[in-house]
Amino acid sequence: MNTTVTSAARKTAPPPARGGLVQPMRDSLVIARRNLIRMVRIPEVVIFAVIQPIMFVVLFAYVFGGAIPVPGEPGNNAADYREYLMAGIFAQTVTFATAGAGAGIAEDMHKGLVDRFRSLPMSRGAVLTGRTLADLVQTTLTVVVLTIVALIIGWRAHDGILKAIAAIGLLLLLGYAFSWIGALIGLSVRTPEAATSGGLIWLFPLTFVSNAFVPTANMPTFLQHVADWNPFSSTVLACRQLFGNPDGLPSDAWPMEHPVLASVLWSIVIIVLFRTLAVRKYRSATA
């Protein structure tokens, strides 16, 4: 009888996930496809994600554009501020996708979908990797739409298409890195609503205590140091330089002197750290 029970258990138990690199990549792409199909079936999620940055562009460009001078530029030209502004709006847009990533994972956890994924013979990290890849696709679409809006209001990339593509690549790398922070938040809370709030509340000081919207020269000394070493500031300045836009006379802090390298290093560190923490949290949360 014991042999019969054991044989039956083996038939009903899910087969173990295969090792190597190919299987985890395949599993991640399957999960990413599932999330992309879900986005297509619920288009209002993508639409609202696009509308928010457009509102920021219009409000900052036309409400504050004539009131904020850009250091190093002659006069107080609203067109200069629009070009100064756009790198900050791009970076804010890709990082604010963090809240959506966290809410999506929290919703899957709340509905028990992650537990069903766990019963399948698939890589443990594939659920999170697939989700973050799908979010990266949505972020790319949002950046494309935002670029069109920026061109309409007068923004231009002056240093050629290759440098502009490199700047977009840095933005998407930062957005992907921050989506892992969102994944960790989504795994750490009980409801999607909490994930949305938790994913946004820390982003506001991160984005505003930076060089995204105003030059840091007039900030108190302590906040200047915080802004200079803010990973968000490095990516914003790197994009301004690659786009050929006004950079607002950055400070002599190392990240501000080497913004492209600093942006890449910050993003890699965030990905490695928070992916490790998120996968570990996923395993313990669904055990």
Side-chain angles (χ1 to χ4, degrees):
M1 181 180 294
N2 290 338
T3 303
T4 304
V5 172
T6 303
S7 300
R10 287 176 179 172
K11 290 180 181 179
T12 57
R18 286 173 286 177
L21 295 176
V22 176
Q23 186 63 28
M25 291 176 59
R26 185 178 301 154
D27 294 339
S28 299
L29 291 177
V30 170
I31 299 297
R33 181 174 179 271
R34 173 255 175 189
N35 284 284
L36 289 174
I37 292 174
R38 183 174 181 271
M39 291 176 187
V40 172
R41 292 177 178 174
I42 312 176
E44 55 267 28
V45 175
V46 179
I47 293 172
F48 290 146
V50 172
I51 290 176
Q52 178 179 314
I54 292 176
M55 291 176 59
F56 273 107
V57 170
V58 174
L59 289 173
F60 276 89
Y62 292 104
V63 176
F64 301 111
I68 302 177
V70 180
E73 299 300 316
N76 189 14
N77 193 336
D80 291 333
Y81 181 71
R82 285 197 292 270
E83 293 211 333
Y84 177 87
L85 168 72
M86 281 314 305
I89 295 292
F90 281 130
Q92 184 192 54
T93 299
V94 301
T95 53
F96 270 39
T98 300
I105 291 175
E107 182 180 10
D108 288 343
M109 291 282 292
H110 185 68
K111 292 181 177 179
L113 184 61
V114 172
D115 290 333
R116 290 197 288 273
F117 283 144
R118 185 176 173 82
S119 68
L120 300 175
M122 62 189 302
S123 169
R124 291 291 177 257
V127 174
L128 303 180
T129 302
R131 175 73 207 198
T132 55
L133 288 176
D135 289 329
L136 180 62
V137 173
Q138 178 180 333
T139 301
T140 303
L141 176 62
T142 304
V143 169
V144 170
V145 175
L146 189 58
T147 300
I148 296 173
V149 175
L151 292 171
I152 292 173
I153 69 168
W155 171 83
R156 296 292 183 270
H158 301 285
D159 287 350
I161 187 66
L162 292 180
K163 286 189 176 182
I165 292 174
I168 297 298
L170 289 178
L171 289 167
L172 295 179
L173 180 62
L174 181 71
Y176 182 70
F178 274 55
S179 69
W180 282 105
I181 302 178
L184 181 60
I185 293 173
L187 292 168
S188 302
V189 299
R190 296 182 180 180
T191 65
E193 293 80 8
T196 301
S197 300
L200 286 175
I201 192 169
W202 61 276
L203 281 173
F204 281 101
L206 183 81
T207 55
F208 281 94
V209 185
S210 71
N211 58 2
F213 306 114
V214 296
T216 60
N218 294 328
M219 291 183 180
T221 303
F222 170 73
L223 286 183
Q224 286 186 39
H225 292 310
V226 173
D228 289 342
W229 286 90
N230 185 343
F232 188 82
S233 294
S234 299
T235 300
V236 170
L237 181 57
C239 290
R240 285 186 180 130
Q241 293 184 356
L242 291 171
F243 287 142
N245 295 153
D247 59 13
L249 299 179
S251 73
D252 57 358
W254 186 87
M256 298 295 98
E257 291 184 337
H258 308 87
V260 175
L261 178 59
S263 175
V264 172
L265 291 178
W266 273 120
S267 295
I268 291 175
V269 168
I270 292 170
I271 291 172
V272 172
L273 175 61
F274 283 93
R275 187 185 189 281
T276 302
L277 294 175
V279 172
R280 184 178 300 173
K281 183 70 176 178
Y282 168 79
R283 288 172 176 169
S284 63
T286 59

